[in-house]
Amino acid sequence: MVSVHHFCRAFKKSFGIPAYQYQVQRRMEFAKLRLADRAVSITDIALSLGYAQTSSFSSAFRKATGWTPTDYRRGFE
């Protein structure tokens, strides 16, 4: 079995970013796809990504993209 420390170092060496940051990036890419569908609420998107509150998702999305989920969605109008 590989230790957590070894896994984290190997992951960062392979992908160039820590595993947690990679996971956040993947979540945000999925969120972008879901935000294009106006039939799905932002709250439902947040919950489907594992965020307990919409505000937590909005903060993470803004930190990752520079846009709020609502502003990003308006770009599809």
Side-chain angles (χ1 to χ4, degrees):
M1 184 184 301
V2 177
S3 72
V4 174
H5 179 71
H6 179 73
F7 170 78
C8 290
R9 277 192 341 205
F11 190 95
K12 187 172 182 178
K13 186 176 181 181
S14 294
F15 288 89
I17 57 173
Y20 176 75
Q21 199 172 10
Y22 177 83
Q23 180 187 26
V24 170
Q25 284 181 357
R26 295 288 303 207
R27 280 178 165 182
M28 294 307 124
E29 291 303 317
F30 183 70
K32 287 177 184 178
L33 293 173
R34 299 285 312 268
L35 286 166
D37 181 2
R38 297 188 68 76
V40 181
S41 74
I42 292 174
T43 300
D44 288 340
I45 294 169
L47 294 174
S48 73
L49 292 171
Y51 289 94
Q53 299 177 352
T54 305
S55 61
S56 300
F57 165 65
S58 294
S59 295
F61 189 85
R62 185 175 201 160
K63 184 176 179 182
T65 65
W67 298 82
T68 64
T70 304
D71 290 340
Y72 184 83
R73 179 173 265 180
R74 283 185 188 134
F76 292 103
E77 291 179 349

